Amino acid sequence: MLSHITAARDAALASIASAATLDEVNDLTSRLTGKKGDLAQLKTRLGSLASIDDKKAAGQAINDAMAAVAAALESRRAALGSEALAARIERERLDLTEFVGAPKRGHAHLVTQAWERLEDTFVGMGFQIAEGPEVETDWHNFEALNMGDGHPARGEFDTLFVDHVPPGGVAGTTLLRTHTSPVQIRTMLTQEPPIYIVAPGRVFRRDTPDATHMPVFHQIEGLVVDRHITMADLAGTIEAFTKAFFGAGFTSRLRPSYFPFTEPSAEFDIQRPNGDWIELGGCGMVHPNVLRAGGLDPEEWSGFAFGFGIDRMAKERHGVDDIREMYSDDIRFAEQF
Ligand code: DAH
């Protein structure tokens, strides 16, 4: 009997030791410790032993063997459990330490940089920043700016109309603004003069991209409305801006020109220290019709306005040959600045 017990125990311990998975350990647990297990079967045969002492010894041996099997199952289960956990951790591990080279600090887009420097310069000169919507009405973008029906800038060649009919409105009168000048109208309609504002923003035209044009670009608009404003105030403001923004070595000039919303109108150029002139934008005295559209009496108020392209300034400043490069998202381009 005792040798059977030892044999059953050793067989049980051997199969436990060779169990490779938790499932196998669970199987063994029910097989070895259940009623049909070898040791349990031997227990039922204790009654057939002759002497009390033999029964006692065999009973003790069976209990010891069962305790040993239970302990072996428990430790095998624990060992396999921590192995499974370790394997799972290894399998699901993320290497968060990996990086290629030292991290690089980026910078704002060239146009954003120019936009922010322009705002800073004008704020330093006493202007406030104004805003208007990118989706505009025909009235704000053209009509109120003294560009009646038939003005070439209203044509389909330049303008991107939006498929939207305003409530109670007319189809084909909503568009992506073609310039920042409608902000002049919106400002006059919401703010009492004196008005000293600049309005930077995104504008849209039906242009094919080339080295100097993009269908989406940026402008900054200026508007001053006060009493007794003259062309001299305009020229002085442009000159002060040129020196503040480009440096003391730069100077500006006005050239006669035409815009429907200013009278008289001018282009303004700046002169580089090396003597080159570059055209920057348009300007002029706000047309009486525009003041009236803004709800102001031209007998009481006068003003000047100007507008120029931000992208072109960024391009000039950094010596970029092709404006499309600035929107290419090519890191090799961006890294140069
Ligand atoms: N809105 C004009 C354009 O997009 C630029 C401009 C010219 C703005 C003269 C002005 C101005 O305020 O007075 O071409």
Side-chain angles (χ1 to χ4, degrees):
M1 182 78 176
L2 285 177
S3 66
H4 286 318
I5 294 168
T6 311
R9 183 198 67 192
D10 290 349
L13 292 179
S15 54
I16 292 167
S18 65
T21 66
L22 284 172
D23 280 349
E24 284 180 40
V25 175
N26 290 337
D27 277 356
L28 287 172
T29 306
S30 42
R31 213 143 51 73
L32 300 173
T33 62
K35 283 209 179 86
K36 293 198 173 130
D38 288 349
L39 290 168
Q41 291 294 315
L42 285 169
K43 213 175 195 170
T44 61
R45 284 160 50 194
L46 284 179
S48 64
L49 291 176
S51 76
I52 294 270
D53 283 347
D54 283 353
K55 282 183 190 168
K56 254 187 165 171
Q60 186 62 50
I62 288 174
N63 283 345
D64 289 349
M66 286 182 121
V69 167
L73 283 167
E74 209 33 64
S75 74
R76 190 75 193 126
R77 190 191 310 282
L80 286 175
S82 57
E83 265 174 43
L85 184 63
R88 179 161 165 213
I89 287 171
E90 187 55 34
R91 202 167 54 241
E92 296 179 0
R93 187 167 131 195
L94 289 179
D95 184 356
L96 299 177
T97 62
E98 184 176 17
F99 66 94
V100 181
K104 286 186 193 143
R105 184 176 286 274
H107 59 72
H109 192 276
L110 296 187
V111 170
T112 310
Q113 290 178 22
W115 173 320
E116 287 174 352
R117 283 189 64 236
L118 286 165
E119 283 190 355
D120 288 350
T121 306
F122 281 111
V123 166
M125 291 167 65
F127 284 76
Q128 289 185 312
I129 310 293
E131 273 183 333
E134 292 175 355
V135 181
E136 258 299 2
T137 67
D138 179 278
W139 186 80
H140 288 90
N141 194 82
F142 295 125
E143 192 91 32
L145 289 164
N146 205 32
M147 281 186 263
D149 261 346
H151 193 280
R154 292 179 82 131
E156 288 190 6
F157 296 109
D158 286 341
T159 306
L160 293 157
F161 287 92
V162 173
D163 201 3
H164 163 79
V165 185
V170 184
T173 58
T174 307
L175 46 89
L176 299 182
R177 65 178 177 191
T178 59
H179 53 177
T180 44
S181 301
V183 186
Q184 291 188 30
I185 304 299
R186 291 186 176 273
T187 306
M188 286 188 273
L189 288 174
T190 52
Q191 238 170 273
E192 291 290 316
I195 292 169
Y196 291 80
I197 58 108
V198 287
R202 193 179 285 147
V203 300
F204 309 82
R205 285 190 202 168
R206 236 179 87 170
D207 264 334
T208 306
D210 64 25
T212 54
H213 294 87
M214 288 294 280
V216 179
F217 60 105
H218 304 81
Q219 291 186 330
I220 185 163
E221 191 79 16
L223 175 68
V224 166
V225 179
D226 206 338
R227 292 180 214 274
H228 316 303
I229 295 291
T230 70
M231 195 97 184
D233 297 308
L234 168 60
T237 302
I238 297 281
E239 179 66 11
F241 161 73
T242 301
K243 294 215 171 342
F245 189 80
F246 292 98
F250 285 74
T251 184
S252 67
R253 75 176 174 199
L254 302 186
R255 265 180 307 118
S257 185
Y258 170 76
F259 297 101
F261 32 89
T262 44
E263 181 60 34
S265 303
E267 306 275 352
F268 68 95
D269 305 331
I270 58 163
Q271 188 177 34
R272 294 201 183 105
N274 72 4
D276 289 354
W277 286 98
I278 14 175
E279 182 184 318
L280 216 60
C283 59
M285 302 306 293
V286 181
H287 195 288
N289 288 349
V290 174
L291 288 169
R292 273 191 281 269
L296 299 175
D297 178 0
E299 298 301 324
E300 186 179 358
W301 302 103
S302 59
F304 65 79
F306 56 85
F308 54 90
I310 300 179
D311 310 64
R312 186 169 303 175
M313 279 187 58
K315 177 179 177 294
E316 282 296 325
R317 174 148 192 254
H318 297 283
V320 176
D321 293 330
D322 190 324
I323 209 160
R324 288 169 292 190
E325 295 266 33
M326 298 204 297
Y327 297 97
S328 68
D329 281 354
D330 188 333
I331 189 110
R332 291 166 303 179
F333 173 79
E335 272 174 356
Q336 298 175 63
F337 305 98

